[in-house]
Amino acid sequence: MLLNGLGLKEILLRLPIIFIAITVHEYAHGYAALKMGDPTAKLSGRLSMNPLAHMDIVGALSMLIFGFGWAKPVPINPNNFKNHKKGTVIVSLAGPISNLFLAFLGSVLYGIFRRIGFGNFSSRFSEIFYGLLAQLILLNVCFGIFNLVPFPPLDGAKIVGAFLPYKTYFKIMQYERYAFPILIVLMYLGIFDKILGVLITPIVSSLNALIALIAGL
């Protein structure tokens, strides 16, 4: 059975990685907000490593099918930030950066395990193990870059908005309720695939080069 061209094996490999990517992403937002002076996420029980606390079903399915998606936003009150602009930028960046760091970490581990020959004793185990690492790298790059797109309600829009005049940002956010369905349509039509591919491909290529470098040491 296929899901948008994905085989059952790839779907099963993606599922645990989706839980990891979404959980780390939202936890990073909440932790950064706490450090910036806002305890809202902590007080609401969202400063948690429990995937179910952050799961958005539509966003998770999107990530499963398309390779990028979203989670249930962590509640944040920017009014509590010690520095509003700095806090907004750091908190918004924290999620995507955490995903890119996971992709980097996955690449380092992939290279190390290849170098020491881990999994060579069992081809079945090796296929599953390296398949999980490959999905860890790819999905976290996709998730991180996708959320940096300056399109509401993604993190990139909040980052750009922090540098806009308040009145301009307020006018833009008045149309946020229309942005989400438009985002879904753009993803369904594959338009985001072409746009994000320009950014994702060189990053994944660089991480593959890192794997080859470490494995060949």
Side-chain angles (χ1 to χ4, degrees), residues 164-175:
L164 293 175
Y166 179 77
K167 288 184 179 180
T168 303
Y169 181 66
F170 181 74
K171 284 184 179 180
I172 293 173
M173 294 312 291
Q174 285 182 315
Y175 299 97

Side-chain angles (χ1 to χ4, degrees), residues 24-47:
V24 170
H25 181 99
E26 294 305 322
Y27 181 87
H29 279 316
Y31 182 78
L34 183 64
K35 290 300 181 180
M36 291 295 104
D38 176 35
T40 306
K42 182 178 181 180
L43 294 176
S44 63
R46 293 293 303 282
L47 195 60

Side-chain angles (χ1 to χ4, degrees), residues 35-116:
K35 290 300 181 180
M36 291 295 104
D38 176 35
T40 306
K42 182 178 181 180
L43 294 176
S44 63
R46 293 293 303 282
L47 195 60
S48 168
M49 290 300 286
N50 178 3
L52 297 180
H54 310 295
M55 195 62 60
D56 179 286
I57 299 300
V58 176
L61 285 174
S62 173
M63 193 168 177
L64 176 64
I65 298 170
F66 300 109
F68 41 83
W70 58 90
K72 185 166 61 176
V74 165
I76 290 168
N77 185 356
N79 293 324
N80 291 329
F81 293 157
K82 300 166 188 175
N83 182 307
H84 188 278
K85 180 178 290 188
K86 179 181 177 181
T88 299
V89 172
I90 289 178
V91 171
S92 299
L93 278 173
I97 293 299
S98 71
N99 291 121
L100 294 175
F101 177 75
L102 275 180
F104 172 78
L105 180 61
S107 301
V108 171
L109 291 176
Y110 198 116
I112 290 174
F113 286 125
R114 279 295 188 196
R115 179 74 181 97
I116 64 177

